[in-house]
Amino acid sequence: MLELKDVAVARSERVLFDGLSLTLAAGDLATVVGPNGAGKTSLLRVVAGLSRAHAGRLHWRGRAIDEGDPVYGRERLYLGHQPGLKSDLSVSENLRFLLQLQGAGFDQGTVAACLAPLGLAGAEHRPVRALSAGQRRRVALARMRLSGCLLWLLDEPFTNLDVDGQALVAGWLDEHLAAGGMAMVASHAPLGTRHPGRRLQVELGA
Amino acid sequence: MSGAWTAAGALARRDLRAALRRWGELALPLCFFVIVLTLFPLGLAPERDTLAAIGPGVLWVAALLASLLALETLFRGDMDDGSMEQLVLSPQPLALLALVKALIHWLLSGLPLVLLTPLVAQAFYLPTDALWVLALALLLATPTLSLIGAVAAALTASLRRGAGVLGILVLPLAVPLLVFGARATDLAIQGQSAAGPLYLLAALLALAITLAPLAIAAALRISVD
């Protein structure tokens, strides 16, 4: 469903890599690995639609992805280095906004059920500024799970997470893939997923 | 399309809430406005004729500078915490979201300025009839200024020290607003009809509302890249 054809990625006029082709179908997981500066984040930003590819084409559901594509925008979720939360607003206000922005529904009960295993039960009304970096990451991951998006693009999702949090996210990834979702994950740590679907490894800077 | 309106409403609520929880930042440009205005009678001779003559011009320049002060924070917060990436990536039309952000910004910084002006204008011996025209002219000019300013703020959002560049970009573009606004106020003081410059200010606002959101959206896409 997601297709990359001969994609080249450049940062500040310098080509980081070129000729990357890749196809992700339902249940596929692509892990992006490589040393610092190899272009993992740049690749994810290009696939997300934040930056333009230096060369090559990207297709979603067989159609080229336009700038501000509403279909792709609804079905793709990008989680970058910054969780995108407003520190003055509460956890639940932040989640409500981000979900409505993506065109997903917001249901108080579902949100509470999602926050509980993250150790954030009862924290819905606490302002985000009162949370630790790891807890903020957990809120961003709750949003990922609640979004109902088909394609997850995750840039170092384990940053600031403790061992339990990492295991929980690996479990969510398994569920997502088993339900026919797709994911592209840049991570230095092994993901620890168990889903038997197709695994692709994108090695950059090799 | 209903998703776009839901998202626009959600963005408006989020921006209003976040801003009202930091109300001190909202008061800053207003304090600056009042202080600048009180400096003139202190620095010049506090004579009725002098103050009445320079009043309209000084009020307009101070209003321009005060709204410039508020502009710097328009996209800064969203750039820093990563929510700008999420706005750009959302399936909703970015121009609509940009328009919402600019209008909420006007509501919180431009409108209080408009409401405050008739009060501070008393210090410059403006006749009561002219106060209405001044308030109306500001009501038409400040949203335009917010929209023009948002384009510049979007362009400079990724610069670490964008405030200086922002002034250089916005102030020349604000010249028509200053010219027509001060002219309308002058005409009203002389007891003549100020309809001409007011219509022109309204036309500029219509133009800005139609075109600026597209420019802001394009500039934001460049800034997050």
Side-chain angles (χ1 to χ4, degrees):
Chain A
M1 297 251 268
L2 177 74
E3 255 183 290
L4 277 69
K5 287 181 196 159
D6 285 324
V7 168
V9 169
R11 198 74 205 151
S12 308
E13 310 289 313
R14 196 171 71 88
V15 176
L16 297 170
F17 57 86
D18 56 8
L20 176 68
S21 295
L22 172 79
T23 309
L24 274 190
D28 288 355
L29 168 69
T31 47
V32 185
V33 294
N36 291 130
K40 299 188 291 298
T41 294
S42 299
L43 172 62
L44 279 177
R45 287 177 67 88
V46 165
V47 175
L50 282 170
S51 312
R52 289 217 181 112
H54 185 64
R57 282 166 299 159
L58 287 97
H59 290 260
W60 176 249
R61 292 185 181 274
R63 289 192 9 220
I65 300 169
D66 302 326
E67 192 172 74
D69 198 317
V71 177
Y72 190 55
R74 174 66 196 88
E75 297 182 326
R76 162 271 283 123
L77 176 126
Y78 170 75
L79 192 58
H81 292 277
Q82 302 281 356
L85 305 171
K86 283 270 160 234
S87 57
D88 289 310
L89 299 184
S90 73
V91 170
S92 126
E93 284 168 340
N94 267 300
L95 284 175
R96 176 192 286 265
F97 168 69
L98 286 169
L99 291 172
Q100 287 181 336
L101 183 69
Q102 187 114 39
F106 174 84
D107 177 69
Q108 205 84 48
T110 325
V111 169
C114 183
L115 288 175
L118 287 167
L120 290 166
E124 287 99 323
H125 301 296
R126 275 179 35 209
V128 165
R129 67 163 71 260
L131 303 183
S132 74
Q135 287 175 315
R136 285 178 206 202
R137 173 64 53 170
R138 283 166 182 247
V139 175
L141 289 163
R143 175 210 160 207
M144 164 188 96
R145 185 153 198 245
L146 293 165
S147 68
C149 288
L150 205 53
L151 171 66
W152 289 0
L153 304 171
L154 313 177
D155 196 355
E156 300 290 348
F158 292 158
T159 311
N160 298 327
L161 281 189
D162 55 22
V163 178
D164 290 348
Q166 297 186 3
L168 194 70
V169 173
W172 284 357
L173 259 174
D174 279 336
E175 266 177 46
H176 176 66
L177 297 172
M182 293 161 243
M184 196 162 174
V185 186
S187 178
H188 287 291
L191 294 178
T193 49
R194 279 189 282 273
H195 180 66
R198 200 161 73 103
R199 303 285 193 89
L200 297 116
Q201 181 135 326
V202 184
E203 271 194 72
L204 301 177
Chain B
M1 201 57 200
S2 75
W5 294 117
T6 313
L11 178 62
R13 267 196 305 280
R14 181 199 73 150
D15 273 13
L16 273 175
R17 274 212 188 104
L20 293 177
R21 283 178 199 171
R22 292 176 165 264
W23 58 271
E25 277 179 20
L26 294 178
L28 213 65
L30 293 177
C31 294
F32 174 82
F33 179 60
V34 172
I35 291 171
V36 167
L37 286 178
T38 48
L39 289 180
F40 278 89
L42 293 173
L44 301 163
E47 281 157 20
R48 193 187 177 102
D49 290 347
T50 324
L51 290 179
I54 61 161
V58 168
L59 278 166
W60 276 90
V61 172
L64 279 187
L65 295 178
S67 37
L68 193 65
L69 203 61
L71 268 179
E72 221 256 317
T73 54
L74 179 51
F75 297 119
R76 173 77 55 219
D78 285 346
M79 289 300 284
D80 289 347
D81 62 24
S83 25
M84 189 52 77
E85 288 175 354
Q86 301 301 336
L87 288 180
V88 169
L89 290 178
S90 90
Q92 326 302 347
L94 187 56
L96 177 68
L97 301 178
L99 179 64
V100 169
K101 275 201 80 76
L103 289 182
I104 294 296
H105 175 261
W106 171 77
L107 201 65
L108 293 167
S109 68
L111 190 60
L113 209 68
V114 176
L115 298 175
L116 195 64
T117 305
L119 288 175
V120 292
Q122 300 291 345
F124 291 89
Y125 301 103
L126 248 63
T128 321
D129 296 344
L131 284 184
W132 288 107
V133 173
L134 173 66
L136 185 60
L138 277 170
L139 196 62
L140 290 169
T142 44
T144 316
L145 195 61
S146 282
L147 286 160
I148 295 174
V151 179
L155 278 172
T156 57
S158 59
L159 303 180
R160 202 167 290 277
R161 306 200 58 79
V165 188
L166 196 58
I168 293 169
L169 282 175
V170 176
L171 290 177
L173 291 171
V175 166
L177 300 175
L178 179 69
V179 169
F180 297 132
R183 179 77 184 137
T185 321
D186 259 343
L187 285 174
I189 291 171
Q190 291 159 22
Q192 296 175 26
S193 162
L198 287 179
Y199 284 139
L200 282 166
L201 286 176
L204 286 176
L205 174 58
L207 193 68
I209 281 199
T210 3
L211 294 182
L214 301 171
I216 302 169
L220 287 176
R221 282 189 201 284
I222 296 171
S223 280
V224 293
D225 190 351

